[in-house]
């Protein structure tokens, strides 16, 4: 899903600190029993006739909305979720080279073009070097519930956003909801209301026709977002840099390994995400990674193979490496942020992670 503000990678990929909350604190949990009576976790696959906005879909959507509102306390307004209100296009970069091919620095890729050759900060999951991607980070619930939104568009010639993604996370109780638009040409402007408790039939139908009806997203978002709601990589660093993330108290607090992280599902509400963690007492990555965040096996592990520039732009000479470490360290490495003391040490850490994931 979305790249965000803790270790890992996209969707879903940081934040800009925009927006503000209007709530004043935690509220009593909503009674969703009537809305959720007989509702299963995933409804999407039950729609066999293509009628995604039908009565059963509206009921599922209303249940999920109730669960999310209860857990997150305050859902965002539609105007907060338009792609035009998000920051972008996000900057994409490529190396510059001299006449004999040595890297001399980096340059921005034209966001209004289509040539993405040598892109140093593509998405490291499903996304590529999207030249018209936009990103937004904002808060509700008096600053206690964080939202991150990502609109992915390959170039100016594309029709709509091939991925429209929202993650909401209550930093107090760890509850997290995922939303993803079904239509790969969604315009990012006609956003349905997320709060369906007092919605009209037409509003519920619009929601059900727009978003996938899975509690964890159509590709099981938590397979990548397995240890934290938000992930970060250079894909997003033009909107929110590592320096900004490190200086952000909400981020630094949220990514602590002992902080709760719960998936909100339509069937039973918030529940723990069970992962095979590699950080923690006696775990192989506790010393190298566990001081900042959790790491788990599975798809999340795959990001380690893409954590240095060679994995994205090909073999680099020692001269190229030093040039990129000087001129574009934030693009050279995404984890650990900025790289370690030497390139060799970064490569060794990458191998340590690979070995742990292979156990």
């Amino acid at each position: 899903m979305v790249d965000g503000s803790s270790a890992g990678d996209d969707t879903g990929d940081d934040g800009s600190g925009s927006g503000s909350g209007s709530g004043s604190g935690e509220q009593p949990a909503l009674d969703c029993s009537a809305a959720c009576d007989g509702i299963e976790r995933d409804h999407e696959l039950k729609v066999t006739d293509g009628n995604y906005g039908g009565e059963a879909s509206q009921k599922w959507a209303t249940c999920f909305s109730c669960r999310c509102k209860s857990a997150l306390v305050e859902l965002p307004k539609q105007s907060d979720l338009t792609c035009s209100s998000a920051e972008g296009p996000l900057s994409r970069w490529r190396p510059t080279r001299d006449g004999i091919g040595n890297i001399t620095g980096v340059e921005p890729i034209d966001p209004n073009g289509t040539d993405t050759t040598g892109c140093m900060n593509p998405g490291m999951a499903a996304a590529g070097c999207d030249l018209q991607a936009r990103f937004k980070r904002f808060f509700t619930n008096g600053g206690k519930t964080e939202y991150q939104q990502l609109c992915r568009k390959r170039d100016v010639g594309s029709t709509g956003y091939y991925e429209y993604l929202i993650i909401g996370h209550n930093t107090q109780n760890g509850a997290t909801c995922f939303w993803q638009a079904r239509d790969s040409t969604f315009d990012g402007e006609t956003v349905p209301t997320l709060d369906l408790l007092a919605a009209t039939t037409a509003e519920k139908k619009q929601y059900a026709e727009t978003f996938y009806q899975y509690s964890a997203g159509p590709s099981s978002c938590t397979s990548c977002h397995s240890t934290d709601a938000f992930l970060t990589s250079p894909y997003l660093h033009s909107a929110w840099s590592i320096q900004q993330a490190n200086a952000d108290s909400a981020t630094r607090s949220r990514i602590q390994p002992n902080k709760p992280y719960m998936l909100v599902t339509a069937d039973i509400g918030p529940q723990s995400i069970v992962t095979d963690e590699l950080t923690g007492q006696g775990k192989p990555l506790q010393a190298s990674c566990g001081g900042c965040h959790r790491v788990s096996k599975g798809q999340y592990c795959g990001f380690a193979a893409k954590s240095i520039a060679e994995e994205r732009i090909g073999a680099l000479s020692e001269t190229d490496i030093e040039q990129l470490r000087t001129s574009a360290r934030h693009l050279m490495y995404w984890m650990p942020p900025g790289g370690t003391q030497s390139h060799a040490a970064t490569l060794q850490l990458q191998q340590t992670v690979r070995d742990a994931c292979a156990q």
Side-chain angles (χ1 to χ4, degrees), residues 21 31 39 67 74 117 133 155 164 186 201 258 279 290 294 326:
D31 182 0
I39 294 293
R67 297 287 199 201
E74 186 180 2
T117 304
D155 54 57
Y164 175 86
F186 180 61
T201 298
N258 61 349
T279 46
R294 296 176 290 237
T326 300

Side-chain angles (χ1 to χ4, degrees), residues 237 242-243 325 329-330 333-341 346:
H237 286 173
I242 285 293
Q243 290 76 17
R325 283 173 60 84
R329 186 180 289 255
H330 64 296
Y333 310 106
W334 66 266
M335 189 52 55
T340 50
Q341 290 185 351
T346 303

Side-chain angles (χ1 to χ4, degrees), residues 179-190:
W179 292 268
Q180 181 171 349
R182 181 187 299 104
D183 186 351
S184 62
T185 61
F186 180 61
D187 66 6
E189 299 302 306
T190 53

Side-chain angles (χ1 to χ4, degrees), residues 16 42 47 86 105 147 177 196 206 215 240 250 267 276 302 305 308-309 321 344 347 353:
S16 58
D42 300 330
V47 182
Y147 288 89
C177 291
L196 300 180
Q206 183 192 9
S215 293
W240 201 36
D267 54 344
D276 187 356
I308 56 174
I321 289 170
L347 291 175
V353 174

Side-chain angles (χ1 to χ4, degrees), residues 250-298:
T251 297
R252 299 309 306 167
S253 173
R254 193 198 70 248
I255 68 174
Q256 293 174 9
N258 61 349
K259 281 302 184 83
Y261 179 39
M262 309 279 283
L263 174 66
V264 178
T265 67
D267 54 344
I268 59 175
Q271 56 196 281
S272 295
I273 298 171
V274 179
T275 62
D276 187 356
E277 288 192 17
L278 296 169
T279 46
Q281 187 172 3
K283 300 291 185 177
L285 296 182
Q286 175 60 14
S288 54
C289 307
C292 293
H293 61 98
R294 296 176 290 237
V295 179
S296 69
K297 278 192 175 183

Side-chain angles (χ1 to χ4, degrees), residues 168-180:
H169 174 76
N170 186 326
T171 60
Q172 303 298 297
N173 60 25
T176 304
C177 291
F178 296 90
W179 292 268
Q180 181 171 349

Side-chain angles (χ1 to χ4, degrees), residues 43-44 47 49-62 164 179-187 190-194 196 200-214:
H43 172 73
E44 187 79 15
V47 182
D49 59 359
N51 183 20
Y52 293 102
E55 185 176 345
S57 297
Q58 293 177 39
K59 181 172 174 60
W60 189 95
T62 303
Y164 175 86
W179 292 268
Q180 181 171 349
R182 181 187 299 104
D183 186 351
S184 62
T185 61
F186 180 61
D187 66 6
T190 53
V191 182
T193 179
L194 298 187
L196 300 180
T200 65
T201 298
E203 289 173 327
K204 293 178 182 179
K205 185 174 186 292
Q206 183 192 9
Y207 176 105
E209 289 178 337
T210 300
F211 294 112
Y212 282 107
Q213 294 160 55
Y214 295 90

